[in-house]
Amino acid sequence: DFGDFWYGWRNQLKGLSYPNWVVALDMKGFGDSDKPFMANNYKYEVVLEELKQFIDVLQKKNLKKIVLVGHGLGGHIGWKFVETYPSMVRKFISLSTPHPRIWLKHVMRSWRSVIENRWLYVCRLPFLPEMEMVSNDLEVFDKRFKKSSSVTDLTNYSNFDKEAYKYTFSRTSDWQGPINYFRNLPLADSSVLREEGPKQSIPVEALLLVGNMDPEVSLELVSQSAEYVERFAMQIVNGAGHNPHQEQANVVNKHITKFIKDELSYMTKWSSMMKVVSQPPPSFSSRHN
């Protein structure tokens, strides 16, 4: 997600490591990954091709399809990846992340929404957004980690965790990559609002996870994303905000494990109705990661 790096998945690296091979990577521009200066290096088509090359290397050692997990900005990349390369993915898990088209329509749908998401438009300015993020000793992380009743605060974090984030994002160049992703959003393209639903469903099973107290993403937006996949399962994580994999790590890990083992009930669309499917259809790949 924006302002996160591989460390945000530390609970999954430990909790899901057996019997799975778990890899948490820093996307381009994040953490220890390369941070090219120009925004065109962060366009979807460029990032997706590089991610494909990375997964190709992994699959040389393990020929099985992957289970892809994404959250926030990484979730947007995940949605695009399973759309572009569905044959490489066995299952997709989206955490607090509507499909990018649904999210973008929501951001652009009215002047009120534009004002609420004005930071995305500020990101189009050169240099200033990066300078803002490192101002006041990275106040953004103090607010995130501050112990209070707000659901946006990650109160189960230690001071060491906060310092790890502050160290990783201590320079303006550390924010250049994350902000460049937003600079490439087609916020001035009104045709986005006229786009209809998917022309073809993605042939990959998806698990949609969302916190019941998420202040940034509504359950409605996440549920609308189900129309983009043929079969899906959906779980609401009680007591979680926008970062359920960190705020309720054990619960999320259990959902992910059940999903990988095909122990969750799936839903699929038939006409305009929803129905429960207890077993995967015979024609669908059931190869395990």
Side-chain angles (χ1 to χ4, degrees):
D1 195 17
F2 184 82
D4 211 337
F5 66 119
W6 72 264
Y7 189 70
W9 299 99
R10 61 195 178 282
N11 295 309
Q12 285 66 49
L13 285 169
K14 181 179 179 180
L16 301 174
S17 60
Y18 182 81
N20 308 292
W21 181 25
V22 184
V23 179
L25 73 156
D26 288 328
M27 292 198 307
K28 178 196 285 186
F30 288 79
D32 292 328
S33 291
D34 291 342
K35 300 176 175 64
F37 177 76
M38 300 302 293
N40 59 7
N41 289 298
Y42 298 85
K43 290 184 177 180
Y44 275 135
E45 57 268 25
V46 176
V47 175
L48 292 178
E49 176 58 29
E50 293 173 349
L51 183 57
K52 178 183 180 298
Q53 293 175 12
F54 176 81
I55 294 174
D56 282 338
V57 173
L58 297 181
Q59 291 186 324
K60 286 182 180 179
K61 298 181 180 181
N62 186 343
L63 298 178
K64 298 176 181 179
K65 294 182 179 182
I66 67 167
V67 175
L68 184 63
V69 186
H71 170 253
L73 183 57
H76 288 174
I77 300 296
W79 275 109
K80 290 290 186 179
F81 190 86
V82 295
E83 277 187 325
T84 308
Y85 304 108
S87 62
M88 299 181 69
V89 183
R90 176 175 162 252
K91 291 176 181 287
F92 172 54
I93 300 167
S94 170
L95 286 160
S96 307
T97 311
H99 189 281
R101 293 191 188 93
I102 291 176
W103 175 78
L104 197 57
K105 282 185 178 182
H106 172 74
V107 169
M108 300 171 59
R109 74 187 192 281
S110 66
W111 280 110
R112 178 179 179 180
S113 184
V114 168
I115 293 173
E116 290 175 349
N117 295 278
R118 58 188 176 276
W119 168 249
L120 298 175
Y121 294 84
V122 173
C123 286
R124 305 180 82 81
L125 299 173
F127 307 117
L128 292 179
E130 288 91 338
M131 296 173 63
E132 173 67 20
M133 294 307 296
V134 297
S135 64
N136 299 322
D137 190 29
L138 294 165
E139 186 180 18
V140 60
F141 292 119
D142 289 327
K143 291 180 179 179
R144 179 189 292 188
F145 288 89
K146 182 180 179 181
K147 292 185 177 181
S148 73
S149 59
S150 171
V151 296
T152 61
D153 293 331
L154 309 184
T155 58
N156 58 335
Y157 279 20
S158 68
N159 190 60
F160 172 83
D161 296 325
K162 182 174 72 173
E163 293 306 316
Y165 277 86
K166 282 193 171 186
Y167 175 81
T168 302
F169 291 93
S170 59
R171 304 166 298 179
T172 55
S173 59
D174 297 324
W175 292 99
Q176 187 173 275
I179 291 172
N180 274 336
Y181 284 95
F182 288 156
R183 287 189 172 116
N184 286 316
L185 292 174
L187 297 173
D189 185 2
S190 60
S191 65
V192 171
L193 298 172
R194 298 190 295 272
E195 288 184 0
E196 298 181 354
K199 297 179 180 179
Q200 184 176 357
S201 296
I202 303 169
V204 176
E205 294 176 344
L207 171 61
L208 311 179
L209 287 166
V210 61
N212 69 323
M213 297 187 292
D214 193 328
E216 300 181 32
V217 175
S218 69
L219 175 60
E220 180 183 4
L221 287 181
V222 173
S223 61
Q224 287 175 10
S225 304
E227 66 177 320
Y228 283 86
V229 292
E230 289 183 354
R231 303 175 68 247
F232 70 96
M234 187 164 185
Q235 296 291 331
I236 300 173
V237 184
N238 292 324
H242 187 60
N243 300 276
H245 59 303
Q246 299 177 31
E247 297 157 336
Q248 297 291 337
N250 291 335
V251 174
V252 168
N253 288 351
K254 288 179 181 178
H255 287 319
I256 291 176
T257 299
K258 289 182 178 181
F259 181 62
I260 293 174
K261 293 181 177 180
D262 291 320
E263 294 178 357
L264 293 179
S265 295
Y266 293 91
M267 289 185 283
T268 184
K269 296 172 288 299
W270 186 259
S271 298
S272 60
M273 303 296 290
M274 306 296 292
K275 64 178 182 179
V276 174
V277 179
S278 58
Q279 297 293 333
S283 62
F284 196 88
S285 172
S286 60
R287 297 171 65 184
H288 289 268
N289 188 21

